[in-house]
Amino acid sequence: MSARNWPSESLLQLDVFKAAGANPGSRDNALALCNNAYRRAEQIWKKWGLTFEDILTLSPKFWKIHNDPIAWHDGSSITIMTIHLNLAVGTIGTYAKGRPELQRLCADMMDCKAIGQFLLTEVGHGLDAANLETATHLQDDGTFVMNSPNRYASKYMPPTVPVLGKPCYAVVWSQLYVKGEKRGIRPFVVQLNDGVNMCKGITAKLIPTRHGATPVNHAITHFTNVALPSWSLLGPVGEKPSTHEDFLQAIWRIAVGTLALASLAIPALQIAAHIAYKYSLRRHVGAPNPVPIISFRTQQIPIFTAVAQTYVLQAFQNYAVKHFTDNSANHQSRHAIATTYKAVVMEHAQTSHFNLSERLGAQGLFDYNQIVTQFSEMRGIVIAEGDILVLCIRLASELLLGRYGVPATTNPNSLLARHEKGVFEECRALARKYGHRSQQFSDYILPRSKDLVEAIGHRMAYDAAVDQGVDKVLCDIYEVFAVKKDIGWYVETGLLNRAAVSEIESTAMNAAVPKMNDFVDAMGVAPWVKAPILAEATWDRFVNNLYTFREAPEVRAAM
């Protein structure tokens, strides 16, 4: 995809986009940068022309906006945008039919007259959301009263402090009580603040900024006897307690976010690979005939692999979205696709960012060269919308027990398909032998959950790339990368030995050398690259603008 396909490129010229940064320095400066992040988020989705219908129907435009490289111009803006649109508008919109008050609120949120948030996890109940303690009691007049019964029940992370003078409304998840009976976890629409002050009974404590990431005004939010109108409950009170299955259905937009947020890693990987490749072309070593460091295999392997991953993962995204939006599939199978996709994409992105940063040497340590900052931002995505490890434990266990399945391979004779089949047969045998509630299952299978899910994902990604016509050179690089992730299995089964793997990798790298410049340029992310190390002119300009310490004036030097 070329850069001209991205409607956001013109936004880079606006002053509000020139103010992005990851070093707030002080609380006041951090809050000022956060305010700009909200302004940038609004500019991005309006430039795309994203509509309420796009969000509710999960249109192609909804998915494509998450591949826009502008997301990595400032990670805080895209964090705010995804919470606002997917979690807040997406959840409220699900209940808006026949509810004029909710329709008006969604319209205000789409026009950015109001800010949307989503409060689920608590200080004492992160991934254990099913046992959250926030309590809302139905009153005799049909209204509600919401409380955080203790500090551990305070909502953790969502940015709920007042900004820009705009009212903020949140989807707050709480236990519902009717005449003392617990009726299950339900979503409520709650106004948190008016843009200047918090609403009565609600406090927000600003959390220090995340290290290395662009600042978001994350907070700890507490409720004390907060009166809510009768319309604040999303959905009916019902005659009986809701089930855990009802809860999973209600938080469906989190599953959407699992897939959508992970897709942000693709443009991040494109930008990081572009920087590492172009810098490695410019950087020369050796005398008297210096050569570019990209000519060394130790530089080629991590950079070429990252480039191959961007193309393969784009194909994987197409595959995942197709299956995830298949309304004929049950929600467990759709969630399996999202989990598998996120596990693979985030592993690739994190590992490659670390490797690429290292290949820049000392330059890779500084945020002005982008890679290390993007890495810090991605650590948040790993946890957001479901921690990867916990998602994988659940998915691997349920697949081993045969409760549902994932789409079959289209290339059953490929190395990665054979690997997926082999490792699952091995773990199924253990599960049958010991039972899924045994200590052995906990000791021997749960620690392998993420590896099992990644084995599925590697196969799916490779299948998608082959089936969608990704260049064979890139597919070969990806395949050998995935093989090396579990080379022991291939050696144990006699499919390959280490020498064969090295030869496959060398052949793929040699084939990629003459094509790599075109592969990198075709990613089309150059306009979003800010790193000054890619050209002499930009490096000289960067150095000239640095604060300079000089010798004392002559008169003082003589003292």
Side-chain angles (χ1 to χ4, degrees):
M1 176 176 288
S2 65
R4 65 177 177 272
N5 295 122
W6 300 112
S8 66
E9 185 175 352
S10 62
L11 297 178
L12 296 174
Q13 307 309 314
L14 300 181
D15 289 342
V16 71
F17 281 84
K18 297 176 182 178
N23 292 308
S26 68
R27 184 184 67 180
D28 290 343
N29 194 31
L31 288 171
L33 289 172
C34 289
N35 287 346
N36 280 336
Y38 284 86
R39 296 186 180 100
R40 286 189 292 271
E42 178 185 0
Q43 290 282 350
I44 293 170
W45 88 67
K46 288 187 174 180
K47 191 70 176 179
W48 272 83
L50 205 67
T51 67
F52 180 63
E53 288 70 28
D54 287 323
I55 295 167
L56 286 192
T57 62
L58 303 179
S59 71
K61 187 184 291 186
F62 172 84
W63 297 110
K64 194 172 182 181
I65 197 173
H66 293 88
N67 293 141
D68 191 334
I70 204 164
W72 296 97
H73 185 77
D74 166 35
S76 59
S77 300
I78 211 70
T79 297
I80 290 164
M81 188 188 80
T82 56
I83 295 172
H84 181 90
L85 296 180
N86 177 51
L87 296 179
V89 175
T91 300
I92 296 171
T94 302
Y95 297 89
K97 186 176 181 179
R99 301 276 302 271
E101 70 282 359
L102 297 182
Q103 293 168 11
R104 287 192 296 271
L105 179 56
C106 287
D108 284 347
M109 287 181 174
M110 291 305 301
D111 290 339
C112 217
K113 295 176 183 177
I115 294 169
Q117 296 294 345
F118 187 90
L119 281 62
L120 175 61
T121 55
E122 299 174 349
V123 173
H125 300 280
L127 297 168
D128 185 28
N131 292 306
L132 59 80
E133 297 179 70
T134 303
T136 302
H137 290 261
L138 176 65
Q139 306 300 294
D140 291 339
D141 62 357
T143 63
F144 300 91
V145 175
M146 177 177 286
N147 277 283
S148 305
N150 55 67
R151 287 196 170 190
Y152 292 103
S154 300
K155 299 297 186 179
Y156 188 67
M157 279 293 277
T160 58
V161 303
V163 294
L164 302 178
K166 296 181 180 183
C168 177
Y169 293 82
V171 177
V172 181
W173 296 84
S174 169
Q175 299 282 0
L176 171 63
Y177 289 85
V178 178
K179 297 185 183 302
E181 179 189 18
K182 186 185 289 188
R183 290 290 186 86
I185 301 171
R186 307 293 185 87
F188 292 82
V189 174
V190 181
Q191 183 175 358
L192 301 179
N193 63 67
D194 61 6
V196 178
N197 298 298
M198 302 300 293
C199 292
K200 185 178 180 180
I202 304 174
T203 60
K205 291 183 177 292
L206 188 65
I207 303 173
T209 56
R210 289 166 44 207
H211 181 71
T214 51
V216 175
N217 48 348
H218 294 298
I220 298 174
T221 309
H222 195 86
F223 301 92
T224 304
N225 294 327
V226 178
L228 303 177
S230 58
W231 61 264
S232 62
L233 174 64
L234 296 177
V237 171
E239 298 297 327
K240 58 183 180 179
S242 59
T243 65
H244 183 65
E245 186 69 17
D246 294 330
F247 172 61
L248 294 179
Q249 291 278 16
I251 61 171
W252 168 247
R253 296 303 299 205
I254 290 182
V256 174
T258 299
L259 204 162
L261 275 180
S263 297
L264 294 170
I266 295 175
L269 197 49
Q270 290 172 329
I271 291 170
H274 179 105
I275 292 168
Y277 178 75
K278 296 296 184 180
Y279 175 73
S280 297
L281 283 177
R282 173 184 167 243
R283 182 77 167 178
H284 285 63
V285 296
N289 299 308
V291 297
I293 60 175
I294 196 62
S295 61
F296 297 108
R297 187 68 92 212
T298 49
Q299 205 77 359
Q300 291 173 354
I301 290 175
I303 295 174
F304 290 9
T305 297
V307 173
Q309 287 171 343
T310 69
Y311 283 88
V312 171
L313 292 179
Q314 187 66 72
F316 190 14
Q317 184 191 16
N318 297 336
Y319 172 98
V321 168
K322 175 185 175 182
H323 288 280
F324 184 81
T325 55
D326 179 2
N327 291 326
S328 66
N330 61 50
H331 82 270
Q332 293 100 328
S333 296
R334 297 162 78 180
H335 204 284
I337 291 290
T339 296
T340 304
Y341 176 79
K342 181 178 181 180
V344 168
V345 173
M346 298 314 302
E347 191 283 328
H348 292 358
Q350 285 200 107
T351 301
S352 282
H353 270 74
F354 182 85
N355 292 337
L356 296 176
S357 173
E358 199 172 62
R359 298 319 326 132
L360 297 186
Q363 293 285 9
L365 302 175
F366 294 92
D367 69 343
Y368 60 76
N369 285 322
Q370 295 180 257
I371 295 178
V372 69
T373 301
Q374 291 186 170
F375 179 77
S376 295
E377 300 280 10
M378 273 187 292
R379 293 182 64 197
I381 296 177
V382 169
I383 297 168
E385 270 53 327
D387 180 276
I388 287 175
L389 178 58
V390 176
L391 292 176
C392 288
I393 288 173
R394 178 181 176 184
L395 175 57
S397 298
E398 294 186 339
L399 290 176
L400 289 172
L401 294 173
R403 291 178 177 169
Y404 51 87
V406 295
T409 180
T410 54
N411 297 279
N413 294 322
S414 72
L415 289 171
L416 302 186
R418 294 160 78 179
H419 172 253
E420 175 196 17
K421 181 181 178 182
V423 294
F424 262 88
E425 287 177 347
E426 179 183 326
C427 287
R428 281 196 185 97
L430 289 173
R432 284 194 297 267
K433 179 178 180 181
Y434 296 113
H436 69 284
R437 299 189 183 281
S438 67
Q439 186 63 43
Q440 290 88 347
F441 190 94
S442 177
D443 290 346
Y444 300 135
I445 295 179
L446 293 191
R448 296 181 61 182
S449 296
K450 189 165 178 287
D451 293 336
L452 289 171
V453 174
E454 287 179 3
I456 301 170
H458 293 155
R459 182 270 297 172
M460 286 183 172
Y462 179 78
D463 283 353
V466 171
D467 295 346
Q468 294 174 42
V470 173
D471 193 293
K472 185 178 183 302
V473 169
L474 297 171
C475 292
D476 289 346
I477 292 174
Y478 184 84
E479 182 181 44
V480 75
F481 154 80
V483 166
K484 288 168 64 180
K485 292 278 292 179
D486 192 12
I487 193 171
W489 181 87
Y490 293 91
V491 173
E492 285 179 6
T493 57
L495 282 177
L496 295 168
N497 57 39
R498 289 180 299 165
V501 173
S502 294
E503 184 60 32
I504 293 170
E505 181 175 63
S506 182
T507 300
M509 293 295 155
N510 289 336
V513 170
K515 294 185 172 186
M516 192 51 59
N517 201 66
D518 289 340
F519 288 146
V520 172
D521 288 344
M523 292 189 299
V525 295
W528 291 269
V529 173
K530 300 178 286 185
I533 57 174
L534 303 191
E536 292 294 338
T538 53
W539 177 250
D540 288 344
R541 185 163 57 249
F542 172 76
V543 172
N544 290 338
N545 287 329
L546 294 176
Y547 185 87
T548 305
F549 292 85
R550 304 184 186 280
E551 71 275 11
E554 185 176 350
V555 62
R556 293 183 61 195
M559 293 175 64

